[in-house]
Amino acid sequence: DIQMTQSPSSVSASVGDRVTITCRASQTISTWLAWYQQKPGKAPKFLMFAASNLHSGVPARFSGSGSGTDFTLTISSLQPEDFATYYCQQAKSFPLTFGGGTKVEIK
Amino acid sequence: EVQLVESGGVVVHPGGSLRLSCAASGFTFDDYGMHWVRQAPGKSLEWVALISGDGGSTSYTDSVKGRFTISRDNSKNSLYLQMNTLRVEDSGFYYCAKGYRSGLYNYFDPWGQGTLVTVSS
């Protein structure tokens, strides 16, 4: 199985800050990577696919990069609605696997 | 608008069985692969199973193989998860999710609101 490791597990930031979350795969996955946002008590929402392609309707302050084993999700200017937990997911092979999550908290 | 609505989550004893359902609307159901993903409270997400649009192909995570069965009824726009020999570690929210689009079915969009399964004695 491909293990996905996210860091940090949590980050405290203020509105307007730039936030970067990293995700590392235990083996190469090319760009078969997605990012999801989950708010408390809600289902995850699809943000990005193929490592850097924004899903329709996702604000442009979100961006993604990486290929192979190392990936990043960046929020260029954190907004109040962005405080949530973010998960990466590899889509290269079964079983499909997720990272442990990164909680973005208000400083 | 695409909608996925899960149902069937209850409290069940270890060793028991349960069937979850997911009612889909707003898209051509049999054009898309469908997934079940679960999440124990306070934990990360775990993919459980996938079924192809025509129901002819399935895939499971190892921990549920032989115990869970994913199925679909395209005439009813419905997805199911039959869960047998349940374990305490099967507890959590179960989400159905639509495969994103052709060639990209291993991404999940959108997700239902989830249904809670509790396995406890």
Side-chain angles (χ1 to χ4, degrees), chain A residues 26-42:
Chain A
S26 61
Q27 55 189 269
T28 184
I29 58 170
S30 184
T31 57
W32 288 99
L33 186 97
W35 291 98
Y36 301 86
Q37 176 194 68
Q38 186 177 35
K39 296 182 179 180
K42 301 293 187 181

Side-chain angles (χ1 to χ4, degrees), chain B residues 13 15 22 26 29-31 33 48 55 66-67 75 82 100 105:
Chain B
H13 291 307
C22 172
F29 186 63
D30 56 9
D31 277 352
V48 174
R67 299 189 301 123
S75 69
Q82 177 67 44
Y100 177 42
Y105 287 135

Side-chain angles (χ1 to χ4, degrees), chain B residues 32-89:
Chain B
Y32 292 88
M34 295 291 296
H35 301 265
W36 287 99
V37 180
R38 66 184 179 184
Q39 185 175 37
K43 301 297 185 182
S44 183
L45 300 157
E46 180 184 25
W47 172 79
V48 174
L50 160 69
I51 187 167
S52 60
D54 64 2
S57 178
T58 59
S59 184
Y60 299 89
T61 194
D62 281 350
S63 64
V64 309
K65 280 180 186 174
R67 299 189 301 123
F68 290 12
T69 302
I70 188 171
S71 62
R72 64 193 297 159
D73 185 338
N74 287 344
S75 69
K76 296 181 178 179
N77 286 358
S78 291
L79 176 72
Y80 306 102
L81 186 67
Q82 177 67 44
M83 308 165 67
N84 297 331
T85 320
L86 281 160
R87 304 168 180 167
V88 171
E89 56 265 33

